[in-house]
Amino acid sequence: MYRWVWQVEAPLHLGMPPAGLLNRTRLYVPARTLLGALTAELTRAQAKGPLSPNDYEEVARKLGRATRLTYLFPAQRKEGKWLAWLPRHEEGKGLVWRREDGRGPVADREFRRWLLTTRAGTAIDPFSDSALEGTLREHEVVQPWSRWGEGSAPEPVFLLGYVFVRGEDGGAFQVKELFLGGETRYGLGRVRRVNLEETKRGGGFFSEVHLEGEDLEVCTQFLLAHLPAAEILKTPPASMSGALEQIAGWQGEKPWSLSLGWAPGSELKEGRCWRIKEDGLWSPAT
């Protein structure tokens, strides 16, 4: 079990449903996004000739067998320690963010103000070399620097999470730099790994971690990954509160979607242990 930290070195856009002309961004990196970026980097680094989709799929399978990844959450460095800010759905307050050492809560709207800015963009009409009508948009991005609501000088923004390894790491620890999210061909999404340390504690992420069984299990009251809504219906009745959303993406060359899922920060009143799947989604532990 390792805790790793990545420094945001270029604006980061992690797509979510837009609001009008604004392409909104998530504040966290889903495990699927991280797995895809690791797969791409390792496949290209190991290439000895032209690449095919099968090359990427083979590296992805190797990583999936060797590791389980958590989502990456915003983090800041205080007194030599990296501390993540984690989402929580609290009664009477809605979605808030709390730091691992207990600072908070900070309302989601305020927290987004700490981290985000926007970049304008448009498609170019090749015949007039001007903006194509109807394509002007703004993209939210996570900035590499933030004052963290403290009014001090800007400080670096980091991303923090856990990686669980059994035996070989599948090449994950060889990667020191990644490009995450959208618009990476325009220089966005560059992150650099600044820390990797083995640990036996879940920090503010998990109350318990069980590594002994066949399936990795973590215990927490609040979700820190997407949970398919259908999964919770298979278990004894549970009181969930939070946000439901549909997520979609690509699995190789094919589209992939989750019909409906509980978003990170959603709360299960009774608390529970969860299995981390190969793609980073969670399911209830039996």
Side-chain angles (χ1 to χ4, degrees):
M1 174 175 168
Y2 294 82
R3 183 174 164 105
W4 57 3
V5 183
W6 300 79
Q7 182 171 348
V8 178
E9 296 202 329
L12 179 63
H13 178 76
L14 300 154
M16 62 183 295
L21 297 179
L22 177 66
N23 289 333
R24 304 183 70 213
T25 186
R26 302 181 188 278
L27 300 183
Y28 53 82
V29 182
R32 284 180 63 89
T33 302
L34 179 57
L35 179 62
L38 288 169
T39 297
E41 189 68 27
L42 284 170
T43 305
R44 294 165 189 159
Q46 297 169 7
K48 297 181 180 179
L51 292 171
S52 71
N54 290 336
D55 296 318
Y56 289 93
E57 291 173 6
E58 177 58 33
V59 171
R61 283 193 293 269
K62 184 178 179 181
L63 274 172
R65 289 191 298 266
T67 65
R68 290 293 184 270
L69 306 173
T70 70
Y71 285 30
L72 299 179
F73 291 93
Q76 64 179 131
R77 193 170 192 187
K78 300 296 290 185
E79 299 178 354
K81 297 180 180 179
W82 285 279
L83 299 170
W85 285 85
L86 303 173
R88 300 282 189 269
H89 188 278
E90 298 185 359
E91 187 173 355
K93 299 176 183 177
L95 181 62
V96 299
W97 293 76
R98 287 186 180 272
R99 201 167 67 186
E100 285 185 281
D101 63 353
R103 183 188 169 194
V106 178
D108 182 62
R109 182 170 182 174
E110 176 67 15
F111 193 65
R112 295 180 73 86
R113 289 182 61 246
W114 291 3
L115 294 178
L116 301 185
T117 188
T118 59
R119 296 165 58 96
T122 186
I124 301 298
D125 186 333
F127 300 103
S128 63
D129 203 25
S130 61
L132 187 64
E133 185 175 354
T135 64
L136 181 62
R137 306 188 69 83
E138 285 189 286
H139 297 262
E140 283 184 336
V141 291
V142 176
Q143 303 179 86
W145 302 87
S146 174
R147 297 182 187 275
W148 296 106
E150 298 172 346
S152 57
E155 300 174 3
V157 173
F158 301 93
L159 298 168
L160 189 154
Y162 287 81
V163 54
F164 302 88
V165 177
R166 284 183 174 171
E168 297 294 327
D169 60 28
F173 294 161
Q174 300 174 22
V175 179
K176 304 292 180 63
E177 184 180 72
L178 283 175
F179 286 86
L180 297 169
E183 310 294 336
T184 56
R185 294 185 180 182
Y186 297 94
L188 271 64
R190 183 162 60 91
V191 299
R192 177 174 55 88
R193 200 182 77 206
V194 294
N195 191 59
L196 173 69
E197 60 180 338
E198 189 171 5
T199 181
K200 294 182 179 180
R201 297 180 297 176
F205 281 62
F206 314 118
S207 58
E208 297 178 39
V209 178
H210 302 298
L211 305 174
E212 299 80 15
E214 183 177 345
D215 293 316
L216 166 68
E217 295 182 4
V218 295
C219 303
T220 179
Q221 183 177 354
F222 295 93
L223 296 180
L224 294 176
H226 285 92
L227 170 71
E231 294 281 355
I232 204 69
L233 298 177
K234 299 176 184 177
T235 62
S239 176
M240 291 284 297
S241 62
L244 285 165
E245 63 180 24
Q246 184 173 10
I247 57 175
W250 292 89
Q251 184 71 39
E253 296 182 299
K254 299 179 180 179
W256 167 91
S257 68
L258 175 65
S259 57
L260 201 61
W262 290 97
S266 298
E267 178 188 17
L268 180 64
K269 302 297 184 182
E270 298 81 8
R272 182 169 285 180
C273 293
W274 313 92
R275 286 197 302 266
I276 300 180
K277 298 181 179 180
E278 186 174 316
D279 59 4
L281 299 177
W282 284 11
S283 65
T286 54

